[in-house]
Amino acid sequence: MSSIEVDGKNYETDEEGYLTNLTDWNKEIANYIAQVENINMTEQHWEVINFLREYFEEYQIAPAVRVLTKAIGKKLGADKGNSEYLYSLFPYGPGKQACKIAGLPKPTGCV
Amino acid sequence: MLHIINKSPLANNALDSCLRVAQSGEILLIEDAVYAATTGNAFEGKIRKALERFKIHVLQPDLEARGLADRIIEGVIPVDYGGFVDLTTTNKTCQSWL
Amino acid sequence: MSHINIKKFMFVNRKAPHGTIYALEALEVVLITAAFDQDVSLVFLDDGVYQLKKGQQTKGIETKNFSSAYRALEGYDIEKLYVEKESLEARGISEEDLLVDVTVLGRTEMGELMNQQDVVMSF
């Protein structure tokens, strides 16, 4: 079992660093995971993270990248609903990396 | 005796067998067996008939999980986990029809 | 993608949602298959129709409430959902009780639809 330590508290993760308990998540944890992933969180990053959390809240799954891209385009505009933009924010994949920061499980079908 | 059933009546014959063999006592429907306790299902007639010789209970959290808590057949008694435990202690014997 | 490679996939769901793992596993397979741009149909037969019942609240049994995920299928471009009429009737469930839009088919039409598939997976 792996874990991360944020502000003196331990949080359980899986071996790839995804939070085990989705309810543990908070902004400090997100910032911590982002730092480990070498990502400097900006407003644009938070926009995607918040979108992912809302999506999960609604459907109880983490969206596949293709689905996320389309849904972001619908909500935040075509300039953001494309993989070039999303990969510029999350170089290792908006599904994999953004979901980890958002405290969600890895998207189904994402290897 | 308490008879515990956990299979859907429309996919498995456990409840049917129980009703055929057991003579009286109490029945507790849990997990997928809670579908038997809902109005309009094809097993409803058999449940109504069984209510003449059995006290029938249904586990409320399992009904809620399946979105059917609002359609319990009249006469069937909803119980929570505490009620489940009570049933296993007030009955001398307990049989799970797996 | 070349159209030559598109096959008709059908997933047949026949199990109630929470008592066994089948329904959840089938849903995962469907979500994964969606990534391959195939022609996917979902069928709900027998106790499988219970998977789509509105108002499922799994807090009390402490399991994942995956019923919300059926509403995400549209975003995955999976829009062909078929429910057998006879299965609904035997369970006292109507189309209005379901949490997504579906096409209700009688057993004959359902059989015909199955006949048209290239791949059928049953859960």
Side-chain angles (χ1 to χ4, degrees), chain B residues 8 35 40 42 64-65 67 71 81, chain C residues 18 47 53 56-57 60 90 92 97:
Chain B
S8 164
Y35 290 120
E64 287 168 1
R71 40 181 97 171
Y81 291 115
Chain C
H18 304 291
D47 275 0
K53 177 70 180 65
Q56 299 178 46
Q57 296 294 343
D97 288 325

Side-chain angles (χ1 to χ4, degrees), chain C residues 17-98:
Chain C
H18 304 291
T20 62
I21 197 77
Y22 290 96
L24 176 57
E25 292 286 330
L27 186 59
E28 299 235 334
V29 172
V30 168
L31 291 175
I32 291 166
T33 309
F36 299 107
D37 286 326
Q38 301 295 308
D39 179 353
V40 175
S41 301
L42 264 60
V43 162
F44 298 86
L45 279 183
D46 300 328
D47 275 0
V49 302
Y50 284 135
Q51 293 175 24
L52 301 180
K53 177 70 180 65
K54 266 184 201 158
Q56 299 178 46
Q57 296 294 343
T58 56
K59 221 174 159 194
I61 62 169
E62 294 180 21
T63 61
K64 186 181 164 75
N65 188 2
F66 58 91
S67 69
S68 313
Y70 294 103
R71 291 190 291 103
L73 289 171
E74 203 186 348
Y76 280 74
D77 296 322
I78 296 173
E79 287 163 333
K80 296 179 181 174
L81 275 61
Y82 303 96
V83 174
E84 193 207 27
K85 185 166 170 280
E86 289 81 355
S87 298
L88 285 177
E89 283 169 0
R91 287 159 185 80
I93 306 268
S94 66
E95 209 179 328
E96 293 73 53
D97 288 325
L98 305 181

Side-chain angles (χ1 to χ4, degrees), chain C residues 3-9 37-40 117-119:
Chain C
H3 284 270
I4 296 162
N5 295 323
I6 294 188
K7 287 190 173 174
K8 289 169 90 72
F9 274 74
D37 286 326
Q38 301 295 308
D39 179 353
V40 175
Q117 304 300 315
D118 297 308
V119 182

Side-chain angles (χ1 to χ4, degrees), chain B residues 51-91:
Chain B
L51 279 166
E52 292 166 13
R53 56 195 173 103
F54 293 97
K55 218 167 152 180
I56 304 181
H57 310 264
V58 61
L59 193 62
Q60 179 81 6
D62 277 328
L63 269 179
E64 287 168 1
R66 291 158 180 80
L68 290 160
D70 58 347
R71 40 181 97 171
I72 305 179
I73 295 169
E74 201 191 331
V76 176
I77 309 156
V79 295
D80 58 12
Y81 291 115
F84 186 161
V85 175
D86 290 343
L87 282 169
T88 60
T89 56
T90 52
N91 283 275

